[in-house]
């Protein structure tokens, strides 16, 4: 009852105020008819509160989100199956499902009367032009009397998550020169110039079993060496996505960051489909994430689903340098292909990229000319400065042996990817 009285609407409070005023005036003026009117005005909200307070709904809600993962701009459907498991009927119900504003307006449904064993299914569409992981629900139920004098709200606890992934383009097959390892047990292993024996040993690390020490190589090299564990060779691809605020321009779906995220998702999906063990650093792997995850976990090869999930949740960050984000796990097999999707870089950033890329790996860089995404308010001088920085980044990476593609606003990723192929038979 107390909860119902606290749920008095503006109309209900107006009735109570008018009833009390009329009753006081009737007592002062000695008007019995006016007193009856005042008592009636006060009694109506109280009776409505009693009715609403005694409503014992056992409403069950089953939520079905189909599909639970959609690309940007695609539509999903939320279906709510409602049923009353109680024996008490109820009057007017207002159902409101809580969703983020990017998915559309909050859906509201009005139910006139709920009888025992009542069942109903309602549905509504959701669509987002922005990638991300969004919570759909919970459902809020409002019980009201027929006169709209009293309302009480109850919120269900269950909700679901909708994953909106970036657009993924199908890329043409090209020769990057890193396909030599392939995948599977029948692929050849790398043989060092000194013989197969050198290719099967490595430096001693803390925790290695001393029974695996290879004494002949230890004596020859002057440092403790151990035999490598036998593992099937598989091509590895390490990707870096530069998600720093200083590297991008524009806002919303048309920004340079969204182009870069879509490129990372497309290239990563293509590499995984071609048998590469693929990892992604930069955008989803911030310093906080690195501190809370082990190095092996950060460098664990991704499945296509994990890759899309990480790309969907990339956010801009304000780190000044990229070197802390380029963590290297020496316990994993070195990649045969490294791909960097970056904006304009400083000399320290380029040094960090060169250190991240091993001597045996093919380096591919997609350099975004952020000035082409600059909004109209940007000055010509600033745009020229950004373009000059992108030019310097492209030239410096080329001098360090990277294969570079320059990207401007409006460029299509499949075309950019084709330009990265070898000159001899660019499309495989």
């Amino acid at each position: 009852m107390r909860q119902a009285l606290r749920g008095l609407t503006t109309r209900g409070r107006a009735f109570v105020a008018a009833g009390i005023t009329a009753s006081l005036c009737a007592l002062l003026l000695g008007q019995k008819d006016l007193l009856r009117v005042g008592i009636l005005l006060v009694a109506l909200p109280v009776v409505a509160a009693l009715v609403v307070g005694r409503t014992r709904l056992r409403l069950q809600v089953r939520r079905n989100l189909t599909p639970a993962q959609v690309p940007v701009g695609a539509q999903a459907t939320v279906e709510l199956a409602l049923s009353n498991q109680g024996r008490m009927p109820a009057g007017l119900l207002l159902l409101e499902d809580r969703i983020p504003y990017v998915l559309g307006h909050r859906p509201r449904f009005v139910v006139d009367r709920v009888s025992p064993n009542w069942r109903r299914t309602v549905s509504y569409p959701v669509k987002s032009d922005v990638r991300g992981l969004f919570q759909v629900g919970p459902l809020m139920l409002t019980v009201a009397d027929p006169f709209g004098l009293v309302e009480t709200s109850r919120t269900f606890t269950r909700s679901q998550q909708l994953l909106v992934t970036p657009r993924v383009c199908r890329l043409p097959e090209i020769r990057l020169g890193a396909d030599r390892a392939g995948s599977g047990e029948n692929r050849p292993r790398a043989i060092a110039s000194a013989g197969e024996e050198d290719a099967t040993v490595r430096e001693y690390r803390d925790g290695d079993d001393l029974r695996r020490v290879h004494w002949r190589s230890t004596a020859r090299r002057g440092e403790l060496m151990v035999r490598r564990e036998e593992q099937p060779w598989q091509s590895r691809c390490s990707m870096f996505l530069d998600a720093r605020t200083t590297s991008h321009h524009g806002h919303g779906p048309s920004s340079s960051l969204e182009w870069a995220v879509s490129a990372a998702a497309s290239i990563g999906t293509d590499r995984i489909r071609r048998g590469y063990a693929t990892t992604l650093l930069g955008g989803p792997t911030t310093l906080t994430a690195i501190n809370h995850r082990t190095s092996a976990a950060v460098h664990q090869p991704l499945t296509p689903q994990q890759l899309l999930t990480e790309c969907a949740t990339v956010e801009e960050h304000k780190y000044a340098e990229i070197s802390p984000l380029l963590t290297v796990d020496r316990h994993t097999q070195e990649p045969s292909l490294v791909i960097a999707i970056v904006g304009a870089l400083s000399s320290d950033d380029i040094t960090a990229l060169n250190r991240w890329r091993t001597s045996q790996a093919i380096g591919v860089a997609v350099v975004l000319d952020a000035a082409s995404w600059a909004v109209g308010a940007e000055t010509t001088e600033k745009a020229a400065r950004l373009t000059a920085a992108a030019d310097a980044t492209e030239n410096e990476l080329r001098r360090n042996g990277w294969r570079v593609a320059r990207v401007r606003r409006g460029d299509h990723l499949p075309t950019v990817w084709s330009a990265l192929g070898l000159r001899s038979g660019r499309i495989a």
Side-chain angles (χ1 to χ4, degrees), residues 69-73 130-132 162-168 261 265 305 308-309 311-312:
Q69 174 182 318
V70 293
V72 167
V130 180
R131 58 178 174 77
L162 175 66
L163 181 65
V164 181
T165 61
R167 289 187 176 89
V168 176
V261 171
Q305 178 62 40
L308 290 177
T309 301
C311 289

Side-chain angles (χ1 to χ4, degrees), residues 104-168:
H105 297 289
R106 286 188 174 182
R108 295 180 174 89
F109 307 94
V110 177
V111 179
D112 294 334
R113 181 175 176 79
V114 178
S115 58
N117 299 322
W118 169 88
R119 297 176 183 275
R120 179 170 297 183
T121 300
V122 296
S123 62
Y124 63 91
V126 290
K127 184 176 70 171
S128 174
D129 294 327
V130 180
R131 58 178 174 77
L133 186 62
F134 304 105
Q135 181 172 308
V136 180
L139 181 70
M140 185 173 68
L141 169 67
T142 302
V143 182
D145 69 288
F147 302 104
L149 302 176
V150 179
E151 290 181 353
T152 60
S153 299
R154 305 168 189 175
T155 302
F156 294 85
T157 58
R158 292 185 178 180
S159 61
Q160 282 185 288
Q161 289 184 327
L162 175 66
L163 181 65
V164 181
T165 61
R167 289 187 176 89
V168 176

Side-chain angles (χ1 to χ4, degrees), residues 240-244 246-247 281-283 285 287 290 317-327 340-356 393 397 402:
F240 173 73
L241 173 61
D242 185 2
R244 296 175 300 169
T246 55
S247 299
L281 294 175
T285 309
L287 291 179
I290 291 174
H317 48 75
K318 298 181 180 180
Y319 301 119
E321 298 180 353
I322 65 174
S323 55
L325 303 177
L326 292 173
T327 57
I341 303 172
V342 297
L345 302 176
S346 65
S347 58
D348 291 339
D349 293 335
I350 294 177
T351 300
L353 278 181
N354 290 329
R355 190 184 304 116
W356 171 59
T393 299
L397 288 175
W402 289 75

Side-chain angles (χ1 to χ4, degrees), residues 310-337:
E310 292 210 357
C311 289
T313 54
V314 169
E315 296 181 358
E316 283 189 1
H317 48 75
K318 298 181 180 180
Y319 301 119
E321 298 180 353
I322 65 174
S323 55
L325 303 177
L326 292 173
T327 57
V328 179
D329 186 2
R330 297 301 183 186
H331 289 76
T332 62
Q333 180 184 315
E334 292 183 352
S336 57
L337 175 65

